[in-house]
């Protein structure tokens, strides 16, 4: 890592409006637009779902606005959010031909692993 690259740090969720999530990060580690941010949602019954969101806007004061790609039901303010430092990617290649994937590259059909 060079001196000009920001260090990836965790943030805290400060606002939720449906799929739109506002996350506050330390001012020196604000994620770039189109960067993926991950957080966990309590789906009830002890089930935890990992949710990916994409940063759509930098709001200032260390805050970003991201759009979640899964439901945010059960998400609470103050929950931890992790800056992945990369954009959302999906697998490609011969192992993916004829397969069905969701928007974040998770297979939706049975079959061999694509990794």
């Amino acid at each position: 890592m060079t001196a000009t690259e920001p260090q990836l740090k965790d943030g805290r969720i400060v606002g939720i409006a449906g799929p739109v999530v506002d996350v506050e990060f330390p001012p020196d580690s604000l994620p770039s637009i189109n960067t993926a941010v991950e957080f966990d949602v309590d789906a009830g019954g002890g089930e935890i779902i990992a949710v990916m969101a994409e940063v759509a806007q930098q709001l200032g004061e260390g805050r970003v606005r991201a759009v979640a790609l899964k439901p945010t039901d059960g998400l609470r303010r103050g929950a931890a959010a992790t800056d992945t430092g990369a954009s959302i990617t999906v697998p490609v290649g011969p192992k993916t031909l004829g397969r069905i994937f969701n928007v974040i590259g998770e297979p939706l059909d049975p079959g061999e692993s694509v990794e």
Side-chain angles (χ1 to χ4, degrees):
M1 184 180 328
T2 64
T4 59
E5 291 181 28
Q7 186 177 8
L8 301 179
K9 295 186 180 175
D10 288 347
R12 293 278 170 212
I13 294 174
V14 294
I16 308 153
V20 178
V21 180
D22 290 350
V23 185
E24 185 174 50
F25 287 90
D28 62 335
S29 62
L30 196 64
S32 300
I33 293 177
N34 297 329
T35 299
V37 176
E38 291 181 311
F39 45 86
D40 293 331
V41 174
D42 183 2
E47 183 182 2
I48 303 294
I49 298 173
V51 175
M52 180 88 59
E54 184 176 59
V55 175
Q57 185 177 18
Q58 293 178 337
L59 302 173
E61 298 180 12
R63 293 182 180 198
V64 297
R65 181 159 288 157
V67 178
L69 302 175
K70 286 185 179 178
T72 57
D73 297 341
L75 184 61
R76 299 177 186 270
R77 285 181 295 159
T82 304
D83 176 9
T84 64
S87 60
I88 296 171
T89 60
V90 295
V92 296
K95 291 184 177 182
T96 63
L97 296 176
R99 302 283 305 276
I100 301 170
F101 296 88
N102 65 12
V103 71
I104 56 175
E106 297 169 338
L108 298 178
D109 59 351
E112 68 178 278
S113 174
V114 292
E115 298 195 20

